[in-house]
């Protein structure tokens, strides 16, 4: 267990002291404790991991600028912070992996293989998007095993969990599913509460090329249309918040109206929902629940920076969790690249959390290799953004890599790589004839040539 994992597993701060600081109201959530002036072990762990002062983390959590998703039942969690300090200094950009059991490919062993890849490569979060059958055993085992924070979308699980047709599900049923996920220990849940009747009216009036592409959003839209009722997560939002507060589950307010094509980006439906999400953000904070806001989607390069600023303005600087954005719609099989391009721009422009996209996006359920490719691409985007936006210490690893390259220290290079196994395997697949070099340059290796000259050695570059 790492130091960060150990810090996440210790008991909560002394409740009596916290109660005395908060008017005899028992604090439960990270934001409760932060407002009571208490630095929790989770806040201390985030401060240590990010190289910040614990008080700076506490103050930002209290204000909603930083979220530390940390369900009170997730004992194996290594806490991670998402957002920035009150002074606007960003934490490192976090990366999420999606996986989960599908109705067409219900192979639990495959999902555990993906979990292993995600943890091996250092994913900060894993979202279990299982949507078929009885998924509770997998979810509970994932929470028990994973030091990464765990997220879910209860709406995906509702039909299988309740064994009811969508139209037969009641608002009380939806709340029951949210409660089950909270009790199981998930650290954040995506709740599509912003797509209310006003947003639907805007969507219908203006139209879209790709309509509603959010799976959870489409199910809620179908339920609303079939029943004639308001979005249950909007109508019963206070009840949702009460459940989340009881278990310290961070609400990730889902973007049901995110654009599914570049053509639909920044349209009336997306912005109407974002305005509603801003209102819901304040209500969650008032209820002592931490918030992240989810964002687009598909979007042209020149719209990304403005969208990041718009979210921060309308949602009161809440941490922003972004899927992609995918910057073109014509690259199936390579959408981990289109998303990484957009993700790098989004994170460098203010996004705090990137959801990975794999090469299988739009085509099929990803396999373990797709998870590896998508996660590494997104970690590259996140790290590149951290360098660009001046996250303290972000460039240190790059500098160590550059020094190792100068010294042609291959083992150090592999160790510093985002995917050490991949880097070593590529190098060893083509052994060089000149020791200490690679087959790209061989004896003409620039690093070796200059090193030898600096060491006073004779450099032999005669033709063979």
């Amino acid at each position: 267990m790492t130091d960060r994992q150990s810090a996440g597993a210790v008991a909560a701060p002394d409740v009596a002291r916290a109660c005395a600081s908060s008017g005899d109201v028992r604090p439960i959530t990270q934001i409760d404790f932060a407002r009571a002036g208490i630095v929790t072990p989770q806040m201390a762990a985030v401060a240590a991991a990010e190289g910040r002062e614990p008080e700076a983390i506490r103050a930002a959590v209290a204000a909603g600028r930083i979220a530390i998703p940390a369900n009170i039942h997730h004992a194996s969690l290594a806490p991670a912070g998402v957002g920035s300090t009150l002074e606007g200094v960003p934490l490192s950009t976090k990366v999420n992996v999606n996986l989960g059991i599908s109705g067409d490919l219900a192979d639990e062993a495959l999902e555990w293989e993906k979990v292993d890849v995600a943890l091996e490569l250092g994913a900060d979060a894993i979202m279990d998007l299982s949507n078929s059958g009885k998924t509770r055993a997998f979810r509970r085992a994932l929470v028990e095993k994973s030091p990464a924070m765990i997220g879910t979308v209860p709406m995906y699980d509702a039909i299988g969990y309740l064994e009811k047709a969508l139209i037969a599900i009641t608002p009380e049923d939806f709340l029951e599913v949210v409660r089950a996920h909270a009790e199981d220990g998930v650290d954040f849940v995506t709740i599509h509460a912003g797509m209310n009747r006003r947003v639907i009216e805007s969507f219908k009036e203006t139209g879209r090329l790709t309509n509603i592409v959010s799976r959870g959003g489409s199910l809620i839209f179908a339920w609303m249309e079939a029943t004639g009722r308001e979005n249950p997560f909007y109508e019963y939002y206070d009840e949702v918040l009460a459940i989340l507060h009881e278990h310290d589950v961070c609400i990730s307010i889902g973007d049901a109206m995110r654009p599914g094509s570049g053509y639909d980006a920044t349209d009336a439906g997306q912005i109407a929902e974002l305005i509603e999400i801003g209102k819901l953000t304040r209500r969650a904070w008032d209820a002592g629940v931490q918030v992240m806001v989810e964002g687009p989607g598909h979007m042209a390069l020149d719209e990304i920076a403005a969208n990041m600023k718009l979210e921060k303005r309308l949602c009161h600087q809440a941490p922003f969790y972004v899927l992609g954005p995918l910057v073109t719609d014509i690259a199936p099989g390579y959408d981990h690249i289109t998303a990484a391009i957009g993700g790098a721009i989004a994170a460098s422009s203010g996004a705090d959390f990137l959801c990975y996209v794999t090469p299988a996006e739009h085509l099929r359920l990803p396999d373990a290799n797709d998870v590896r490719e998508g996660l590494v691409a997104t970690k590259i985007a996140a790290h590149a953004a951290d360098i660009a936006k001046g996250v303290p210490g972000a460039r240190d690893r790059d500098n160590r890599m550059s020094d190792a390259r100068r010294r042609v220290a291959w083992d150090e290079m592999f160790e510093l790589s985002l995917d050490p196994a991949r880097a070593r395997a590529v190098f060893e697949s083509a052994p060089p004839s000149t020791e200490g070099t690679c087959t790209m340059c061989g004896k003409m290796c620039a690093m070796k040539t200059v090193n030898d000259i600096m060491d006073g050695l004779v450099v032999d570059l005669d033709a063979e």
Side-chain angles (χ1 to χ4, degrees), residues 229-246:
R229 297 189 61 172
E230 179 58 277
N231 178 347
F233 295 109
Y234 178 79
E235 185 176 1
Y236 293 89
Y237 190 61
D238 290 337
E239 287 81 356
V240 171
L241 295 177
I243 294 168
L244 302 186
H245 182 269
E246 181 181 354

Side-chain angles (χ1 to χ4, degrees), residues 75-302:
S76 63
L77 176 69
V82 181
S84 60
T85 66
L86 295 181
E87 295 75 28
V89 181
L91 304 184
S92 59
T93 305
K94 303 305 183 294
V95 173
N96 172 71
V97 162
N98 288 340
L99 47 82
I101 297 166
S102 162
D104 285 338
L105 190 55
D107 186 343
E108 188 171 319
L110 173 61
E111 299 314 309
W112 284 116
E113 199 178 333
K114 298 177 192 178
V115 171
D116 290 340
V117 171
L119 297 179
E120 171 201 339
L121 292 175
D124 300 292
I126 297 173
M127 288 200 77
D128 173 16
L129 305 186
S130 296
N131 58 48
S132 178
K134 295 300 184 182
T135 61
R136 196 167 200 180
F138 178 79
R139 181 167 59 250
R140 286 175 166 175
L142 180 60
V143 169
E144 182 178 358
K145 172 177 180 171
S146 175
M149 52 187 164
I150 302 300
T152 59
V153 186
M155 185 68 203
Y156 291 178
D157 191 35
I159 295 172
Y161 179 85
L162 297 166
E163 296 183 326
K164 288 185 177 183
L166 178 63
I167 194 171
I169 298 175
T170 67
E172 291 75 19
D173 289 334
F174 286 124
L175 293 176
E176 179 185 337
V177 180
V178 173
R179 184 175 293 106
H181 284 230
E183 291 173 349
D184 288 345
V186 303
D187 303 295
F188 64 98
V189 288
T190 294
I191 302 291
H192 298 92
M195 187 184 66
N196 57 23
R197 282 287 173 194
R198 289 188 294 273
V199 173
I200 292 299
E201 182 180 348
S202 179
F203 159 63
K204 288 181 175 180
E205 287 180 352
T206 57
R208 271 188 161 185
L209 180 61
T210 47
N211 290 324
I212 297 173
V213 301
S214 161
R215 181 165 53 187
S218 69
L219 292 171
I220 295 171
F221 174 73
W223 187 90
M224 293 169 68
E225 291 295 291
T227 63
R229 297 189 61 172
E230 179 58 277
N231 178 347
F233 295 109
Y234 178 79
E235 185 176 1
Y236 293 89
Y237 190 61
D238 290 337
E239 287 81 356
V240 171
L241 295 177
I243 294 168
L244 302 186
H245 182 269
E246 181 181 354
H247 303 276
D248 195 3
V249 180
C250 175
I251 186 170
S252 187
I253 307 179
D255 51 339
M257 296 300 297
R258 69 174 178 268
S261 61
Y263 184 89
D264 292 336
T266 326
D267 71 349
Q270 178 194 334
I271 302 306
E273 182 185 41
L274 189 62
I275 291 170
E276 299 295 333
I277 289 174
K279 300 173 187 176
L280 295 174
T281 295
R282 282 203 181 278
R283 286 175 61 185
W285 285 338
D286 289 345
V289 175
Q290 298 184 99
V291 177
M292 298 187 292
V293 173
E294 296 187 14
H298 292 236
M299 186 167 289
L301 282 170
D302 62 333

Side-chain angles (χ1 to χ4, degrees), residues 187-445:
D187 303 295
F188 64 98
V189 288
T190 294
I191 302 291
H192 298 92
M195 187 184 66
N196 57 23
R197 282 287 173 194
R198 289 188 294 273
V199 173
I200 292 299
E201 182 180 348
S202 179
F203 159 63
K204 288 181 175 180
E205 287 180 352
T206 57
R208 271 188 161 185
L209 180 61
T210 47
N211 290 324
I212 297 173
V213 301
S214 161
R215 181 165 53 187
S218 69
L219 292 171
I220 295 171
F221 174 73
W223 187 90
M224 293 169 68
E225 291 295 291
T227 63
R229 297 189 61 172
E230 179 58 277
N231 178 347
F233 295 109
Y234 178 79
E235 185 176 1
Y236 293 89
Y237 190 61
D238 290 337
E239 287 81 356
V240 171
L241 295 177
I243 294 168
L244 302 186
H245 182 269
E246 181 181 354
H247 303 276
D248 195 3
V249 180
C250 175
I251 186 170
S252 187
I253 307 179
D255 51 339
M257 296 300 297
R258 69 174 178 268
S261 61
Y263 184 89
D264 292 336
T266 326
D267 71 349
Q270 178 194 334
I271 302 306
E273 182 185 41
L274 189 62
I275 291 170
E276 299 295 333
I277 289 174
K279 300 173 187 176
L280 295 174
T281 295
R282 282 203 181 278
R283 286 175 61 185
W285 285 338
D286 289 345
V289 175
Q290 298 184 99
V291 177
M292 298 187 292
V293 173
E294 296 187 14
H298 292 236
M299 186 167 289
L301 282 170
D302 62 333
E303 294 183 63
I304 296 174
N307 267 263
M308 302 305 107
K309 292 178 181 178
L310 188 61
E311 183 277 342
K312 292 288 186 175
R313 176 67 180 86
L314 292 177
C315 298
H316 321 294
Q317 304 299 316
F320 201 16
Y321 176 25
V322 178
L323 176 67
L326 280 71
V327 295
T328 182
D329 301 328
I330 60 170
Y334 301 93
D335 275 331
H336 59 310
I337 298 174
T338 63
I341 293 169
I345 296 171
S348 64
S349 302
D352 307 288
F353 193 7
L354 299 180
C355 183
Y356 89 155
V357 171
T358 77
E361 184 78 8
H362 301 113
L363 300 172
R364 62 165 169 79
L365 188 73
D367 61 22
N369 189 61
D370 294 324
V371 170
R372 180 177 292 274
E373 294 291 322
L375 177 52
V376 172
T378 309
K379 286 179 71 72
I380 292 169
H383 184 67
D386 286 350
I387 292 172
K389 61 187 177 183
V391 172
R395 198 185 288 271
D396 293 352
R397 186 171 173 182
D398 297 76
N399 291 342
R400 294 198 302 274
M401 173 67 87
S402 297
D403 181 64
R405 283 178 172 154
R406 175 184 58 80
R407 293 181 285 107
V408 200
W410 291 106
D411 286 341
E412 288 184 42
M413 288 186 243
F414 301 145
E415 184 179 342
L416 290 165
S417 299
L418 286 173
D419 186 350
R422 173 71 178 271
R424 183 180 292 276
V426 171
F427 173 76
E428 292 179 349
S429 68
S433 57
T434 303
E435 185 178 356
T437 67
C438 75
T439 53
M440 171 64 79
C441 299
K443 66 189 299 184
M444 292 185 181
C445 172

